[in-house]
Structure formats: structure tokens, C-alpha cells
Amino acid sequence: MTTKTALITGITGQDGSLLAHYLISKSYKIIAPTRDNPDKSNLELLGIDDKENINFLVYSQWSDFEAIISQHKPTEIYHLAAMSHVGQSHENPQKVFDVNCNWTLELLSYTLQHSPQSRFFFASSCEIYRNDIAHPVTEEDEKKPNNPYGISKLSAHQMVNYYRQVKGLYACNGVLFNHESELRPNSFVSKKICSHVARIVKHGGEPLTLGNIEAKKDWGYAPDYVKYIYSILQQPHAHNYNVSTSELHSVKDMVDAAFSALNYPISWQGKGINAQAINAKGDIVVSINEKYFRPLDNRFLCGDNSKIKAICQDFSQTPFNQWVKSMTTHEWNLLD
Ligand code: GDD
């Protein structure tokens, strides 16, 4: 029996809940600092909201983590808490930088000071890379973020490098490409597509309205990604890793996969802002609205995942159509 402990920041989010679920299956004790009255719905969905392996602690300000780390000296620290909306980051760059970078720096400094033997994982983002690289990007490729979210993540990423290279901490960046699951909030396009498609197929109603459907992402399934994240902290030496699939799919591909999962034929007409999808009766089921377009969208960024593939003993990659089907069916089952 292992006596390992893992501190997870952001345990109530998609990745935090899935990671906690995975670590509990490996008999970890989880330290879970949250704000007062956290929303535990993701943990409930996974059946782990009242597990005795999870020690929920309430913190009121970020500096409380100094005492938490000093007292618990966790074997591993997974820092996942963040402001994670690329689109919204244009509205409030200062807050995004504070949460995503300054809070990470504080955690690194508390770890070095009070628990230097802890292994530290930071959820970095593919938004740090230059967005016009034609080949699948490796961990060494050029970093050149073009939005406040990416800038904040790159600054934190470099702080993690500094604490590893100069201060000697076992600190790693997992550069996470888009990853989705049944636990995604509605503001992300995967959840928006899968829930709306399920509603249209079951009850009809308003068309699904999207922004740039030609945008392509390296999209993976979050339950796969928590296994990769775990494996990053199990290596003899600390490194940075891309967490990605090395495959690109468009927003339009996701719409097609979601309708197809429910055996509902659609066809596309028009291009760009005039594109629309119609059903077999000729009703419009998908339309485009300019208000959902992003300035400087990272459209064709694909991550070379050979480094993580080589080290993850539990590596598996759920195919795109399969997880979109799983998410859409999940939404279908939630409807009356
Ligand atoms: N949200 C949204 N809504 N996105 C849309 C829509 C829409 O109606 N229509 C098209 N898109 C396109 C966006 O322009 C973007 O290119 C793509 O769908 C995915 O958008 P999101 O699901 O909102 O994710 P994201 O790429 O902005 O951010 C996620 O991935 C990053 C890694 O690239 C988040 O998980 C970030 O935290 C993460 O770092």
C-alpha cells in the first residue's frame, strides 16, 4: 500500500476531479484546498465527493497555501487551478496574470521553502507556442503567445523551469492541449456542441450558433490526459512534456461527430460566416454568428506527443469520434 499524498489545486474542475479519481484508484491520499462551499458536482458525478481519501481544507486567501504545504509536505503537488478562458482573458488581463502566474510563483516558493522534496506539476498550455508553426510542435519549439491567457501561462511555465534548473526543485510543466470530457463547463465549445446537438435531436428547437467552425485544434479526452499528467511526476528526472494527441480536428468535425453519434443526418451549405447545416427536413440546425469569433485564434496548432508517449506506462488515446460520442450520449441521457 502506498502512503503517497497529492495536493491538488483546482480539484473541483474537470482535470482536478478526474485526476483525484485516478489517484484514488492508486490509493493516494488527496489534500484538496478549496474555497468555502465548493461546487462538488464533478466529484459527485465521479462518485468521489465524500471519499475519505480526500481531505478537503478551506482556504480564504492564496497565502494560506504556505501553511498547508508546510504542514502536509505532500509527495506530489498538482497545480491545476487557473483562469482557463482564452477568449475572456482579453477582458481582464491583470486578473488572469495574477491568478495564472503570480499564484504559481507563490506555490513554487512555498514548496521550495517548506517541502523541497515534493514533486511539482504545473498545468501549462499550448497557447504558449507560436501559432503559425506548420509541423507538430515539440517542447523545444518557439514560445510566442498572442493572448493574455497564453502570456500568463508562459510566464508561469518559465518560473517552473527556473525553480527546476536553478533552485533544484523537481518541477515540471505539462503543456496541455485542448482536452474535453463530460465534465467540461458550457462555455467551452465541446460541451456547447454536444449538449445543443443532443437537445436538437431529442426536442428540436433553436439552431446551434457557433463562431469559427474552421478552427482546428489538437483535441484529446481529459480522462486519458490525467494518466499522462500522473506519469510526468513518476520519472527519475523532472522534464517538460506536451500533453496532446498529435491529431487536428476542426470545430466542424466535432459538430459532424456529435450529430452522427445520434444517427441524425445533416448537410452543410455556404462558406465562412454564411455556412449553415440543415437536417433531412431542410431545417437549419447550425448557423454562424460573428460574435463568437476570437481575435488571433490559434487555428492549426498540433502537439508532438512522442515524449509523453515514451514515458507513460498507462498510455491510451481514445479516438476523437468515440469521445465526442460519449459526451453527446451523456448529454442526451441528461435530457427528459
Ligand atoms: N467557446 C467557443 N464557443 N469556441 C468556439 C465557438 C463557440 O461558439 N465557435 C468556434 N469556437 C472555436 C474557438 O474559436 C476555438 O478556436 C475553439 O473553438 C475551441 O474553443 P474553446 O473550447 O473555448 O477552448 P480554447 O481553445 O479557447 O481553450 C481551451 O484550450 C486551451 C488550450 O488550447 C482551454 O482549455 C484553455 O484553458 C486551454 O489552455
Side-chain angles (χ1 to χ4, degrees):
M1 272 282 275
T2 179
T3 50
K4 286 184 170 178
T5 52
L7 185 154
I8 301 178
T9 71
I11 194 168
T12 56
Q14 168 186 265
D15 298 351
S17 309
L18 290 167
L19 180 65
H21 186 258
Y22 186 63
L23 293 179
I24 287 171
S25 76
K26 294 190 169 297
S27 306
Y28 273 63
K29 298 265 180 242
I30 312 288
I31 302 149
T34 65
R35 298 282 191 189
D36 209 4
N37 262 330
D39 172 3
K40 292 188 183 169
S41 51
N42 284 336
L43 297 162
E44 267 168 43
L45 202 66
L46 297 171
I48 56 168
D49 53 307
D50 55 5
K51 277 267 179 208
E52 59 198 25
N53 309 44
I54 305 183
N55 179 7
F56 288 101
L57 306 170
V58 176
Y59 73 91
S60 50
Q61 50 201 1
W62 198 254
S63 54
D64 293 348
F65 276 86
E66 179 162 18
I68 295 171
I69 290 174
S70 169
Q71 187 191 338
H72 293 274
K73 303 194 188 323
T75 322
E76 292 159 14
I77 297 173
Y78 295 91
H79 178 35
L80 310 179
M83 290 187 75
S84 59
H85 287 277
V86 179
Q88 290 167 16
S89 77
H90 293 278
E91 316 303 323
N92 200 347
Q94 265 173 309
K95 179 73 184 163
V96 171
F97 196 85
D98 199 31
V99 171
N100 291 357
C101 183
N102 294 338
W103 290 12
T104 307
L105 177 55
E106 279 186 54
L107 277 195
L108 286 163
S109 123
Y110 301 148
T111 305
L112 184 70
Q113 210 180 334
H114 301 292
S115 185
Q117 75 291 347
S118 295
R119 294 184 166 202
F120 190 99
F121 174 88
F122 173 62
S124 182
S125 163
C126 66
E127 292 286 334
I128 67 174
Y129 289 119
R130 218 182 77 200
N131 74 349
D132 56 352
I133 301 177
H135 58 264
V137 288
T138 71
E139 292 78 0
E140 310 312 321
D141 267 311
E142 190 186 344
K143 319 289 185 296
K144 195 178 176 191
N146 63 15
N147 56 64
Y149 171 83
I151 292 166
S152 69
K153 283 285 182 176
L154 178 57
S155 303
H157 178 109
Q158 287 170 325
M159 280 298 174
V160 170
N161 288 344
Y162 167 75
Y163 271 79
R164 179 177 67 246
Q165 291 161 357
V166 178
K167 301 284 191 178
L169 212 60
Y170 188 114
C172 307
N173 289 296
V175 185
L176 299 170
F177 286 63
N178 293 51
H179 50 292
E180 316 299 314
S181 78
E182 292 76 1
L183 308 184
R184 249 319 189 200
N186 280 322
S187 47
F188 289 92
V189 79
S190 60
K191 176 77 165 202
K192 180 174 170 182
I193 291 172
C194 297
S195 61
H196 206 115
V197 164
R199 212 172 324 132
I200 288 174
V201 174
K202 203 161 211 176
H203 298 306
E206 291 298 303
L208 164 65
T209 311
L210 292 168
N212 181 8
I213 56 169
E214 304 301 337
K216 287 189 175 174
K217 294 277 168 182
D218 179 332
W219 256 307
Y221 192 40
D224 294 337
Y225 281 18
V226 295
K227 297 182 198 172
Y228 312 162
I229 289 172
Y230 164 77
S231 70
I232 289 173
L233 291 197
Q234 312 311 312
Q235 304 311 308
H237 302 288
H239 284 281
N240 297 334
Y241 296 87
N242 279 342
V243 179
S244 63
T245 66
S246 295
E247 281 177 23
L248 282 176
H249 295 276
S250 67
V251 173
K252 193 173 172 189
D253 292 340
M254 192 178 281
V255 173
D256 286 333
F259 276 113
S260 157
L262 300 177
N263 299 314
Y264 189 92
I266 58 161
S267 55
W268 291 93
Q269 305 176 329
K271 284 220 171 305
I273 188 77
N274 298 315
Q276 56 182 31
I278 55 168
N279 65 13
K281 287 193 281 180
D283 300 328
I284 298 170
V285 287
V286 184
S287 61
I288 309 298
N289 189 323
E290 253 170 316
K291 79 174 177 192
Y292 297 118
F293 278 69
R294 306 256 178 92
L296 305 169
D297 211 1
N298 272 356
R299 267 169 285 192
F300 302 109
L301 195 71
C302 180
D304 181 332
N305 68 357
S306 37
K307 193 171 169 187
I308 191 80
K309 246 179 167 165
I311 60 130
C312 182
Q313 290 186 339
D314 201 7
F315 190 89
S316 61
Q317 192 168 300
T318 309
F320 177 79
N321 284 338
Q322 191 176 316
W323 61 256
V324 175
K325 181 174 185 169
S326 170
M327 283 181 67
T328 313
T329 312
H330 173 78
E331 295 299 325
W332 165 273
N333 289 332
L334 291 177
L335 293 170
D336 295 330

